[in-house]
Amino acid sequence: MGDRVVIDQVLNCVSRRRQPKCEYCASSDSHQCQFYSEHGITGLPGGLAEYIAVPAVNVIPINSDLETIAAVLTEPLGCISHALDRVTRSRTRYVINAEDIDKRVRSILIFGGGPAGLLFIQYLYKVLNYDGLILVSEPNQRKRELASCFGAEVIDPQVVDLAEVVQEKTNGRRVEFLIDACGAGSVFRDISVLIRRQATVLLYGLGHAGVDLSVLNNLQFMEPTLVTALGASGGFRSDGRPCTYDRVLGLLAAKQIEVTSWITHRYQSLEAVPQAFTSDRLEPDYIKGVVVL
């Protein structure tokens, strides 16, 4: 009673004690479990319910003095970790920290400086030890300021021509790795003029409304490796708890990844939460809201 924990909200083969595990759980892709269901997504009660019951193996204790408000970001950080792991596991032409300089990722462009973009920047620099250029395209000034604080070079696409700036910053090479962390459909119109041939494109954001699929024609000519990612998939500890959550919780506890500076809104009751969805999220200074009961 009273222990602080974070929760993996996905029910998979290990959660359900299924033997043998399906091929996806067996290969560390638990969010693709053949018998997948998820709290808050597939009809099970979500995190805004008064009470929620999950299998014990889905619960990871917080064994540190980590602020609860920072621990809330465990799941989003787990998604970032899994996404970049998917890239690592893919056979891409360009690789972060490759020994062969001709195959090394020298420049990365991230669309979006919101929570996902800010986590990507930090994870690339502080966890993967990437030492190249990170460019962030973001129209919101506050988000650009934060991205800059974490080491990225920022671009306001509403003021300058993004393709021209990328050409200039990369000495005409364009980027070897592009991350969509915003889910805007307009991203697909620009990718082909921003990446090198056979670059890697990570599709992380969701939505992509308002763009005709014909924009993919120019992208196909570039032969990029398209990588998609969902959730905080990973393997399991010997006690059945999820490795990804356990590992990224450790990163937060060690303050290797910083999150509290961009939690802009805190809600003290469930009754206050609708305001986050109806009005607060539209404010220019809104980045991340957290319920703190």
Side-chain angles (χ1 to χ4, degrees), residues 252-285:
L252 291 169
K255 296 183 171 51
Q256 198 167 351
I257 302 293
E258 200 285 315
V259 296
T260 55
S261 65
W262 43 271
I263 296 175
T264 54
H265 291 64
R266 306 182 185 200
Y267 301 93
Q268 307 297 323
S269 68
L270 292 179
E271 288 75 18
V273 171
Q275 181 179 332
F277 297 102
T278 57
S279 59
D280 288 358
R281 67 180 182 84
L282 303 175
E283 297 175 1
D285 66 335

Side-chain angles (χ1 to χ4, degrees), residues 45-175:
L48 297 181
E50 285 192 68
Y51 299 96
I52 181 172
V54 299
V57 293
N58 284 57
V59 174
I60 304 93
I62 303 173
N63 296 318
S64 70
D65 60 356
L66 177 66
E67 288 184 82
T68 300
I69 197 169
V72 171
L73 274 295
T74 301
E75 190 273 346
L77 181 57
C79 295
I80 299 300
S81 175
H82 169 62
L84 290 171
D85 179 61
R86 287 273 296 129
V87 173
T88 300
R89 291 161 59 189
S90 302
R91 298 184 63 180
T92 58
R93 180 182 183 93
Y94 300 103
V95 178
I96 290 174
N97 299 333
E99 291 186 10
D100 185 343
I101 194 168
D102 290 330
K103 295 182 179 180
R104 186 181 303 170
V105 172
R106 304 182 193 179
S107 52
I108 299 173
L109 173 62
I110 300 174
F111 274 100
L118 298 174
L119 289 174
F120 271 119
I121 297 167
Q122 294 186 74
Y123 200 94
L124 286 161
Y125 278 144
K126 298 181 179 181
V127 180
L128 299 186
N129 297 314
Y130 170 69
D131 62 0
L133 173 69
I134 295 181
L135 301 169
V136 173
S137 175
E138 170 55 60
N140 180 280
Q141 180 179 346
R142 178 62 182 138
K143 294 176 182 177
R144 288 199 307 273
E145 291 171 353
L146 284 164
S148 179
C149 287
F150 290 129
E153 294 196 29
V154 296
I155 304 168
D156 184 349
Q158 296 180 323
V159 174
V160 298
D161 184 289
L162 181 59
E164 289 183 3
V165 174
V166 169
Q167 287 271 13
E168 176 188 346
K169 296 289 184 181
T170 61
N171 296 318
R173 291 172 55 87
R174 303 184 186 182
V175 300

Side-chain angles (χ1 to χ4, degrees), residues 238-257:
S238 59
D239 63 1
R241 287 179 167 79
C243 291
T244 299
Y245 283 79
D246 187 44
R247 185 164 53 83
V248 300
L249 181 60
L251 294 175
L252 291 169
K255 296 183 171 51
Q256 198 167 351
I257 302 293

